[in-house]
Amino acid sequence: MVRPRNVIDCGAFALRRWRGQSDFAAAFTLIEESLTHLRPWEPWVASHDEEHTRALLARCDTWWASGEVYTYAIAEDGVPVGMCQAVRADEPGGRRVGYWLHPAATGRGLATRAVAALAEEMFTLPDMVYLEIVHDPANTASAAVARRLGFTELRREPAALPLAPAGSGTAVVRRLDRPRYPVALPPADGDNDQVKDAPTAPTPVVLGIDDLRPLPRATRIARTSREGVRLLEEHRDGYIDELWLDHDLGGDDTIMPVVTLLEEAAFHGRPFRIGVVFVHSSNPIGAETVVRSLVHWNYRVQRATA
């Protein structure tokens, strides 16, 4: 069985697999300090005590070994400030993602970035087809994370029991599908010679420039306009099958320096060779500006949902 990495280094933070009972003190303190924050939406909080935390960590080890649940601590400077996990769904090839933060770690986009990193890691697994996030319609913070990352509403269904204290009784199910391109699998035993001699299809070049979304289709992702310009310059003389662009890149940063690079290349008679540019921004005015600018220079552009 192929499993995700034990540690996913994200620069300013990391996702780290819980290390059994050696993590008891950190996990217990994290939950203890977050009880008031979690109680409205997490029914398991009513059972919180030392025994419950030790049992949780023991189950984390068992679940990881079986592939049933992959649970990570969200850590800053080595200190856990939240948790996230991917639970095997009822339908084959799917997992449901859960996440929460210590109240002191909220309000700065950490949950979104952590779930984005978890989603990227899950889509490296060969059996993954889709991810889902399930939230109460009244839990606006959880809903915002899902929307920012491109999870689209699939259906609404009765919420699982027991209900959380603030629960409405309804669960919103949002889904993010795996990219269309197949994942290369290692050859089966005994097939090495045959595979070695077989022609290999080229890997599509799919570039994404987005500050938050996981963009599972992308082979490379830039999170700022500066990184985006550098990423395109690296592919100046090659062919880009798909280029995914978001307008708002956090703070005052936007995609416009990247758009300017594409425009100037076309103006000088050497446009970038791109199959399709997908604009998936949630900013309709900014997205329309990008579409109009690139269409003017004869790039093939589509509006899309990441």
Side-chain angles (χ1 to χ4, degrees):
M1 178 186 297
V2 179
R3 294 185 178 84
R5 290 174 291 170
N6 289 344
V7 178
I8 305 169
D9 188 354
C10 304
F13 69 96
L15 304 185
R16 175 178 63 74
R17 175 185 172 183
W18 285 107
R19 297 175 297 212
Q21 299 306 315
S22 64
D23 269 334
F24 168 74
F28 182 81
T29 299
L30 173 62
I31 298 171
E32 186 82 3
E33 293 180 354
S34 305
L35 289 178
T36 301
H37 175 64
L38 295 174
R39 188 169 286 114
W41 305 114
E42 299 291 352
W44 57 264
V45 166
S47 303
H48 170 68
D49 57 20
E50 291 190 7
E51 182 180 353
H52 183 269
T53 302
R54 291 192 184 280
L56 168 66
L57 292 172
R59 289 196 300 272
C60 285
D61 283 344
T62 302
W63 287 336
W64 191 285
S66 68
E68 187 68 21
V69 185
Y70 298 120
T71 303
Y72 288 92
I74 304 170
E76 292 184 312
D77 297 324
V79 179
V81 295
M83 295 189 188
C84 63
Q85 63 180 12
V87 182
R88 183 177 290 150
D90 293 336
E91 298 176 20
R95 288 186 180 272
R96 287 194 165 181
V97 175
Y99 45 92
W100 60 267
L101 292 175
H102 187 288
T106 61
R108 45 193 174 88
L110 180 58
T112 303
R113 288 179 286 139
V115 175
L118 179 62
E120 289 181 5
E121 186 70 14
M122 290 301 105
F123 280 125
T124 67
L125 304 181
D127 60 342
M128 284 300 307
V129 177
Y130 67 89
L131 293 173
E132 289 182 347
I133 289 175
V134 181
H135 65 85
D136 193 284
N139 190 343
T140 55
S142 186
V145 170
R147 285 196 301 269
R148 289 188 196 111
L149 295 176
F151 285 76
T152 57
E153 184 171 335
L154 183 66
R155 64 181 180 273
R156 298 195 177 203
E157 61 188 23
L161 298 176
L163 292 180
S168 66
T170 297
V172 180
V173 181
R174 296 178 181 271
R175 180 172 288 192
L176 182 69
D177 290 322
R178 186 189 181 93
R180 291 195 304 263
Y181 303 124
V183 175
L185 299 177
D189 291 342
D191 291 341
N192 291 335
D193 292 339
Q194 178 181 352
V195 172
K196 186 188 303 180
D197 296 335
T200 302
T203 301
V205 176
V206 182
L207 306 183
I209 305 173
D210 189 304
D211 62 320
L212 292 173
R213 294 173 181 83
L215 298 179
R217 298 171 59 81
T219 51
R220 294 275 302 279
I221 298 177
R223 296 302 188 188
T224 67
S225 62
R226 184 174 181 179
E227 292 177 2
V229 168
R230 186 162 58 245
L231 181 61
L232 281 183
E233 288 175 341
E234 290 177 10
H235 291 79
R236 184 65 185 89
D237 298 321
Y239 183 78
I240 301 169
D241 293 88
E242 297 179 13
L243 176 62
W244 291 73
L245 303 179
D246 181 22
H247 182 272
D248 299 331
L249 298 177
D252 296 329
D253 195 14
T254 74
I255 200 66
M256 295 315 294
V258 174
V259 174
T260 298
L261 176 66
L262 294 170
E263 290 177 317
E264 290 179 349
F267 175 79
H268 291 292
R270 294 188 63 240
F272 281 79
R273 295 189 298 138
I274 304 172
V276 186
V277 179
F278 291 98
V279 180
H280 58 270
S281 177
S282 58
N283 177 343
I285 297 176
E288 184 61 24
T289 299
V290 174
V291 171
R292 288 178 180 272
S293 299
L294 296 181
V295 167
H296 175 77
W297 292 103
N298 296 319
Y299 289 101
R300 183 182 174 195
V301 185
Q302 293 184 22
R303 291 292 300 273
T305 300

